Every structure is written in structure tokens, then in C-alpha cells.
Amino acid sequence: DAGITQSPRYKITETGRQVTLMCHQTWSHSYMFWYRQDLGHGLRLIYYSAAADITDKGEVPDGYVVSRSKTENFPLTLESATRSQTSVYFCASSESGGAYSPLHFGNGTRLTVT
Amino acid sequence: DAKTTQPTSMDCAEGRAANLPCNHSTISGNEYVYWYRQIHSQGPQYIIHGLKNNETNEMASLIITEDRKSSTLILPHATLRDTAVYYCIVRNSGYALNFGKGTSLLVTP
């Protein structure tokens, strides 16, 4: 099925460990995004990418690293996980960066940092 | 991006039309109105968007007032699976979508 998939669906890790969340889309969309969703904060943009090898910071990028070597993949790495990074992480993609181009979201990764 | 105001919650009987209002009185001319919904434990699902004209797709209709200060999302025949939180978003060129608190729609048998 075409779409956007995230893995793993659930992840528990310890403080200080490195963890990578995967995102894959089959639409060949140019833009990809990472958001986190927390109670009381709604969705907040972490990083986005306009194309392969082009990434930029969003609202809350500290503690995260992204890469985009291939158009279809946009992994998010927490280099040294902290408890404050416990959250639900959503990846999204859109065909272009214009306001007329909707974002399509994956089903998320629920990350718990102990 | 302009802010939006939505009712906290709404009920709708299964099979009836669900009309979800959204106020966006400070919207500017180049901002689009988007609707998403989120069912528990799933990612936000895109429903529909528009700039000035009314729009319809296989999921819903979007009615935007002529002054663009408010809009209504219409689910023509609500089903139990439409129970979700519905978000009205006003978007310009930015990517940091402001989902706000949304409207919790409960569809009852």
C-alpha cells in the first residue's frame, strides 16, 4: 500500500541511549516533517526536509538529529535520550512546500524514555 | 498563522450530518483553511482544505463564508468511525501547523 509508515510503533529506551525513529513514504513527496505531540502542547515541529540532503530546524529541534539521504526516508535520531523526550512522534510528508499542499501523517511512534 | 476557535465537543447521531464550525476571524488573504481529524492512537488524518471557495471530496464538504472569517466542515452521513477530534487549522506558508485543541465529535448509535 502506498503511504507513510513509521517504525517502531512503540519504543522504550533508557536515559542517555541513542534511539532512531524511522519514517518511510512511498509517494515520492518532496517534503517530509517530524512532529512530536504532548498533552498541553499539541503538535510541535521538530525538523523538516525540502528534499534529499536538505533539512531545516523547526520549533523544537534541540536534542534531535535528522538526515535524508533518500527522498523516501527521513529518520529521526535522539542522540542521548532524556525523559523530556517521552512523547508520540509523527512523521508527515507533502508533495510540495506551499500552503496549498496538505501534509499526510503516519500513525506515530510512542516513545518512552525511562 | 491566524488562530482558530472551535467548540470543545459535539454530538451527532449516526447517519445524520455532522456540521463542525470553526471561527478564524483574523485570517489573511493567502491563508488556507485545513481540516484534520485524529482518532485515538492514530496520526492526524487530512480531510479537506480550501482558500475561498467551498470544497467537497469523498470524505467531507468545506463551506467557507464569503468574508472567510468562519467555516464549517460537513460530514454528510456520520458513522461511528467518525468519532474523533477534529482540528481546524489556518495555514500560510509555514510548516508548524497549529492544531489547537480541536472539537471532540462523538457519533452515537
Side-chain angles (χ1 to χ4, degrees), chain B:
Chain B
D1 295 344
K3 288 188 176 179
T4 62
T5 303
Q6 300 177 250
T8 302
S9 63
M10 294 182 65
D11 291 347
C12 178
E14 190 177 20
R16 305 296 292 268
N19 295 276
L20 289 85
C22 180
N23 181 286
H24 32 78
S25 58
T26 60
I27 194 170
S28 61
N30 61 347
E31 289 182 315
Y32 283 76
V33 178
Y34 274 80
W35 283 84
Y36 281 82
R37 72 182 182 184
Q38 190 169 21
I39 297 168
H40 183 61
S41 298
Q42 296 183 19
Q45 179 187 21
Y46 164 74
I47 301 173
I48 198 167
H49 73 289
L51 183 61
K52 295 180 182 178
N53 299 323
N54 298 336
E55 302 288 344
T56 295
N57 64 20
E58 64 279 3
M59 288 183 69
S61 294
L62 173 60
I63 309 297
I64 302 174
T65 57
E66 194 168 341
D67 63 9
R68 301 187 70 236
K69 292 185 177 182
S70 66
S71 61
T72 301
L73 177 74
I74 301 173
L75 307 179
H77 305 286
T79 71
L80 299 180
R81 285 181 293 182
D82 291 322
T83 292
V85 179
Y86 287 77
Y87 297 97
C88 170
I89 299 162
V90 171
R91 183 189 174 198
N92 58 21
S93 58
Y95 310 123
L97 302 182
N98 182 1
F99 275 68
K101 296 188 186 304
T103 296
S104 181
L105 175 68
L106 176 64
V107 180
T108 56

Side-chain angles (χ1 to χ4, degrees), chain A:
Chain A
D1 266 349
I4 185 163
T5 55
Q6 295 183 236
S7 61
R9 192 82 168 88
Y10 302 92
K11 177 73 177 178
I12 299 173
T13 192
E14 294 176 344
T15 301
R17 290 194 180 264
Q18 182 181 82
V19 59
T20 296
L21 311 183
M22 305 301 292
C23 179
H24 175 78
Q25 53 104 355
T26 59
W27 289 306
S28 299
H29 283 172
S30 296
Y31 279 74
M32 294 188 75
F33 309 84
W34 275 106
Y35 286 82
R36 59 179 289 176
Q37 186 173 35
D38 306 286
L39 278 175
H41 289 282
L43 270 88
R44 292 180 289 175
L45 179 65
I46 304 171
Y47 269 96
Y48 66 95
S49 168
D53 298 323
I54 300 175
T55 62
D56 210 344
K57 296 178 180 179
E59 301 171 282
V60 290
D62 293 344
Y64 303 95
V65 174
V66 293
S67 62
R68 195 161 175 213
S69 56
K70 292 184 177 181
T71 300
E72 61 267 29
N73 297 324
F74 191 39
L76 176 74
T77 297
L78 289 67
E79 292 193 305
S80 178
T82 65
R83 289 202 179 102
S84 65
Q85 293 177 309
T86 292
S87 186
V88 182
Y89 290 85
F90 291 105
C91 179
S93 71
S94 68
E95 190 171 5
S96 76
Y100 53 84
S101 184
L103 274 66
H104 299 276
F105 288 81
N107 275 329
T109 293
R110 184 174 293 274
L111 176 68
T112 301
V113 183
T114 62

